[in-house]
Amino acid sequence: MVENNLFKNGDWVQGKSRDGELIHGFVETLSDNREIVKVNVVESDNEKAVGKSIWIPSKWTEKLPDLEISNEAHLLALIDLALLSKDETWFMELSGKLESIKIHPKITARKSEVRIPGNRIAKLDFK
């Protein structure tokens, strides 16, 4: 799993609760010594845990990698989640990304479509 000092509020994590339930959610709070984290459960094999916040040992939790979302529909879904969780900072961050996509829609789309075959330097003539 991940070292305790790498967790911060808002990090997406997965792990196991004290009862062995699999959980997926985001960090709400860290204990002072960072040995226990409070996780808002978004998904779990125990349906009763979904939507609740639980404290679990950080050594039973793994930080999930950050994903770069540039799809408008996905951003809108995440904005809804930020509103539901009352996370103003995350809401502002997502709203900024959405605004950027709306202002420059072709720039975002072109990044993933650009493919450069072979090595561009090999085409240079060094005579």
Side-chain angles (χ1 to χ4, degrees):
M1 299 256 172
V2 179
E3 290 182 31
N4 299 344
N5 61 0
L6 297 180
F7 289 116
K8 62 183 186 272
N9 289 350
D11 283 345
W12 284 92
V13 296
Q14 67 182 12
K16 290 188 178 186
S17 71
R18 293 183 186 269
D19 298 326
E21 304 158 341
L22 298 174
I23 61 152
H24 178 203
F26 58 90
V27 175
E28 284 186 346
T29 310
L30 296 156
S31 65
D32 291 336
N33 61 6
R34 298 184 168 268
E35 290 184 10
I36 302 175
V37 293
K38 185 177 184 182
V39 177
N40 184 307
V41 180
V42 176
E43 289 183 290
S44 175
D45 53 0
N46 175 6
E47 291 180 19
K48 293 179 182 179
V50 175
K52 296 183 179 178
S53 297
I54 60 172
W55 287 94
I56 58 174
S58 57
K59 64 183 177 185
W60 295 353
T61 309
E62 180 179 8
K63 181 178 175 183
L64 296 173
D66 293 333
L67 298 176
E68 185 61 38
I69 306 283
S70 60
N71 177 312
E72 185 175 345
H74 291 152
L75 280 171
L76 290 170
L78 290 173
I79 286 172
D80 287 343
L81 184 58
L83 289 169
L84 287 171
S85 64
K86 299 177 181 167
D87 189 334
E88 184 178 353
T89 305
W90 190 32
F91 171 79
M92 296 305 290
E93 177 186 332
L94 293 169
S95 296
K97 286 183 182 180
L98 181 62
E99 188 64 28
S100 175
I101 287 174
K102 287 183 176 184
I103 292 171
H104 307 290
K106 293 180 181 177
I107 292 172
T108 306
R110 273 191 254 136
K111 278 185 182 178
S112 61
E113 295 172 2
V114 174
R115 302 211 187 268
I116 300 170
N119 183 349
R120 292 179 291 157
I121 297 175
K123 295 179 182 180
L124 295 177
D125 187 10
F126 288 103
K127 289 183 180 179

